[in-house]
Amino acid sequence: MNAPTYDPSLFTGLSAFPLTPLKDEAIDEDAFIGLIERLVLAGVDSITALGSTGSYAYLNLDERARVSEVAVESALDIPVFIGVGALRTRDVLDNVASAESAGAQGLLLAPVSYQPLTEDEVFALFRTVAESTDLPVVVYDNPGTTHFTFTTELYSRLAGLDGVASIKIPGAPASPAGWDERIGEIRAAIGSEVTIGISGDAHGAEGLIAGCDAWYTAVGGTIPEPMLEITRAAELGNAQLARELSAELQPLWDLFTEFGGSLRVTAAIAEHLGLVGADTLPLPVRDLDAAAKRKVAEVADNLDLG
Amino acid sequence: MNAPTYDPSLFTGLSAFPLTPLKDEAIDEDAFIGLIERLVLAGVDSITALGSTGSYAYLNLDERARVSEVAVESALDIPVFIGVGALRTRDVLDNVASAESAGAQGLLLAPVSYQPLTEDEVFALFRTVAESTDLPVVVYDNPGTTHFTFTTELYSRLAGLDGVASIKIPGAPASPAGWDERIGEIRAAIGSEVTIGISGDAHGAEGLIAGCDAWYTAVGGTIPEPMLEITRAAELGNAQLARELSAELQPLWDLFTEFGGSLRVTAAIAEHLGLVGADTLPLPVRDLDAAAKRKVAEVADNLDLG
């Protein structure tokens, strides 16, 4: 199979990760379409549906096919990437097929694990997928959920696969010099053709300033504007402004720390903004409790989010 | 709903966890039946199908229903427990229903997680399941695969649920005194009606000697006899013999350490014994490589396993 051809700029800028809202355990399509339309109006660079924030791991193959279709239909001319990860390679390949059918322009693939996976197993998974599709693949490194830890050496091997287009790296607390060093190390390992995207929203600004090409943002799938302002400031080389804008959002980043990550907080923000209903997450994952939701709403109001 | 009624001795002794062998990505039913029949002939106290060793997390709902049926049919009068864990509560409940239909006598439930779960979410999951079925439930604490860490306090809350019958605790390196202390602490927390089962096969003997009621054994699903000897020695109060028998198997325990756990080693032993074919595990999980398989075969032959 020939190397996939795609515009490398596809995997730059802000990629927004919408929730996949549920209602009575089924996909709330109206709410999902509303979220996608917000992202289109805000002018995000791309939309990644069925990321971690989109609860991909909890949905069955039919639900994932349907979400892919709705995302692509609703996104108009904004490129849509689809998360295809699953515990079993067989299911990953089914998700790849449904994403292709839906008209996705890229795939996001995480090495979801139950049995801890070896580096060779993860490499073989990505090779299998890359060989099965013409769509470019984003390597999704999210150890907090997949429980697989990538090495820089594995990034390098994966970047050598035809079709691997971008690597989504986890955020981490680091100094600006620490970020420069880390991004430089990854860049040296993967070359110049594969983009690097930062995740971990509190670290988006520092990642972009240090040279990441993209911000794969979870909360930006629900409140895109503030994340777009940070992204554009960084893209224009205005590191000071990007840092200031991110610092203004510190109360939001603090909520993520306080409430165990961005998912439940993002769902609470979306509910507060009237974009989704209560109990929008897949059980056993539950909404924040009432007191926490009030705190989230207060922060959202104070920061004028939404 | 009334409290489930069951014979508390159900969850004592040796519960053997067979592989669910695959062949070209489908369930190899003949091989699976062969494994179950070995366990019946060996006289295990119970069989837990679709545990971690049975690759439950990788199989779809239909496959799991079928494996449950085949396990119960093949086990004759040996009680069969079925692993019902899944990332989503909806799927767990479907698995509970199929295990009931198959005639299982108990359920094994692990809090499989992608998004890290809170204690309250895990408690609610177990309550939901316990309220949905009359079958007794084994709490499956396996942080290496589920990435959820139970506290002793949570054990205590769960033991208070009608229907929770046993807690399967992970093995860990500890001195005999350390084991005594740990089991005493758990026993004090959960009371006398819920049994404690040890997993982590290298620690089976110490766990039983320290007062665990059951050994939930992964490798014992493929080679039951040596694990039964250890179990019976411990049950007869002969700690010295149980320790000696376990110490004789040290080369086997060392393989688990060397090759990242028991699953791939157990599959290699089963292949060496002609019980399953090659590539019996669900991709992306792969067989050990040829050199490792030779090493496993050598240990199996030296220890006269099988």
Side-chain angles (χ1 to χ4, degrees), chain B residues 211-225:
Chain B
C212 287
D213 311 282
W215 184 7
Y216 295 111
T217 166
V219 75
T222 294
I223 40 172
E225 282 84 358

Side-chain angles (χ1 to χ4, degrees), chain A residues 189-266:
Chain A
I190 68 173
S192 57
E193 291 185 16
V194 171
T195 72
I196 305 171
I198 182 75
S199 63
D201 288 331
H203 309 288
E206 287 302 336
L208 291 168
I209 292 165
C212 286
D213 309 283
W215 185 6
Y216 295 111
T217 166
V219 74
T222 294
I223 40 172
E225 283 84 357
M227 312 310 148
L228 275 167
E229 288 177 21
I230 293 170
T231 305
R232 299 305 178 228
E235 286 174 338
L236 293 167
N238 193 337
Q240 189 186 337
L241 178 59
R243 287 198 175 105
E244 283 172 9
L245 292 167
S246 182
E248 286 172 13
L249 298 174
Q250 191 61 45
L252 176 62
W253 313 143
D254 290 344
L255 292 173
F256 296 170
T257 306
E258 182 172 357
F259 297 118
S262 62
L263 179 69
R264 295 172 187 81
V265 172
T266 301

Side-chain angles (χ1 to χ4, degrees), chain A residues 1-44:
Chain A
M1 183 170 294
N2 294 322
T5 52
Y6 59 89
D7 177 351
S9 73
L10 255 186
F11 300 99
T12 64
L14 184 145
S15 194
F17 282 53
L19 297 160
T20 306
L22 302 182
K23 192 174 184 175
D24 300 329
E25 290 288 305
I27 309 288
D28 183 348
E29 286 195 15
D30 290 343
F32 182 67
I33 291 169
L35 289 171
I36 300 290
E37 289 176 346
R38 270 168 73 83
L39 300 174
V40 173
L41 286 172
V44 301

Side-chain angles (χ1 to χ4, degrees), chain A residues 29 32-34 36-37 40 47 49 65-82 98-99 101-105:
Chain A
E29 286 195 15
F32 182 67
I33 291 169
I36 300 290
E37 289 176 346
V40 173
I47 294 169
R66 179 63 188 156
V67 169
S68 301
E69 283 174 6
V70 172
V72 173
E73 282 168 11
S74 308
L76 305 180
D77 59 347
I78 306 280
V80 172
F81 314 140
I82 298 291
S98 66
S101 300
Q105 295 196 36

Side-chain angles (χ1 to χ4, degrees), chain B residues 137-175:
Chain B
V137 175
V138 179
V139 174
Y140 188 0
D141 179 0
N142 189 348
T145 53
T146 66
H147 307 289
F148 179 80
T149 300
F150 285 81
T151 60
T152 306
E153 156 73 19
L154 182 57
Y155 284 168
S156 173
R157 290 177 69 194
L158 292 170
L161 287 172
D162 280 341
V164 167
S166 184
I167 298 182
K168 175 180 182 294
I169 67 169
S175 65

Side-chain angles (χ1 to χ4, degrees), chain A:
Chain A
M1 183 170 294
N2 294 322
T5 52
Y6 59 89
D7 177 351
S9 73
L10 255 186
F11 300 99
T12 64
L14 184 145
S15 194
F17 282 53
L19 297 160
T20 306
L22 302 182
K23 192 174 184 175
D24 300 329
E25 290 288 305
I27 309 288
D28 183 348
E29 286 195 15
D30 290 343
F32 182 67
I33 291 169
L35 289 171
I36 300 290
E37 289 176 346
R38 270 168 73 83
L39 300 174
V40 173
L41 286 172
V44 301
D45 298 308
S46 64
I47 294 169
T48 304
L50 295 171
S52 290
T53 302
S55 295
Y56 75 96
Y58 298 88
L59 306 179
N60 65 31
L61 300 174
D62 290 341
E63 289 169 326
R64 294 174 71 165
R66 179 63 188 156
V67 169
S68 301
E69 283 174 6
V70 172
V72 173
E73 282 168 11
S74 308
L76 305 180
D77 59 347
I78 306 280
V80 172
F81 314 140
I82 298 291
V84 294
L87 278 169
R88 189 159 171 189
T89 301
R90 174 187 67 179
D91 296 337
V92 174
L93 295 175
D94 280 351
N95 291 326
V96 169
S98 66
E100 285 178 342
S101 300
Q105 295 196 36
L107 306 172
L108 178 75
L109 176 57
V112 190
S113 54
Y114 180 79
Q115 294 289 343
L117 298 175
T118 67
E119 284 214 8
D120 284 344
E121 286 171 337
V122 169
F123 180 76
L125 167 66
F126 278 90
R127 188 180 51 202
T128 298
V129 169
E131 288 175 355
S132 79
T133 180
D134 286 330
L135 289 177
V137 174
V138 179
V139 174
Y140 189 0
D141 179 0
N142 189 348
T145 52
T146 65
H147 307 290
F148 179 80
T149 301
F150 285 83
T151 61
T152 307
E153 157 72 19
L154 181 57
Y155 284 169
S156 173
R157 290 177 69 193
L158 292 170
L161 288 172
D162 281 342
V164 167
S166 185
I167 298 181
K168 174 180 183 295
I169 65 169
S175 65
W179 273 109
D180 284 346
E181 189 183 346
R182 178 68 186 133
I183 302 304
E185 182 190 20
I186 297 172
R187 178 65 65 205
I190 68 173
S192 57
E193 291 185 16
V194 171
T195 72
I196 305 171
I198 182 75
S199 63
D201 288 331
H203 309 288
E206 287 302 336
L208 291 168
I209 292 165
C212 286
D213 309 283
W215 185 6
Y216 295 111
T217 166
V219 74
T222 294
I223 40 172
E225 283 84 357
M227 312 310 148
L228 275 167
E229 288 177 21
I230 293 170
T231 305
R232 299 305 178 228
E235 286 174 338
L236 293 167
N238 193 337
Q240 189 186 337
L241 178 59
R243 287 198 175 105
E244 283 172 9
L245 292 167
S246 182
E248 286 172 13
L249 298 174
Q250 191 61 45
L252 176 62
W253 313 143
D254 290 344
L255 292 173
F256 296 170
T257 306
E258 182 172 357
F259 297 118
S262 62
L263 179 69
R264 295 172 187 81
V265 172
T266 301
I269 293 172
E271 185 188 348
H272 178 62
L273 297 177
L275 303 172
V276 306
D279 301 321
T280 196
L281 299 172
L283 290 172
V285 181
R286 290 179 179 260
D287 280 14
L288 295 178
D289 65 24
K293 280 189 180 179
R294 279 195 299 275
K295 190 163 180 180
V296 170
E298 197 180 320
V299 169
D301 289 343
N302 287 345
L303 294 177
D304 202 18
L305 299 179

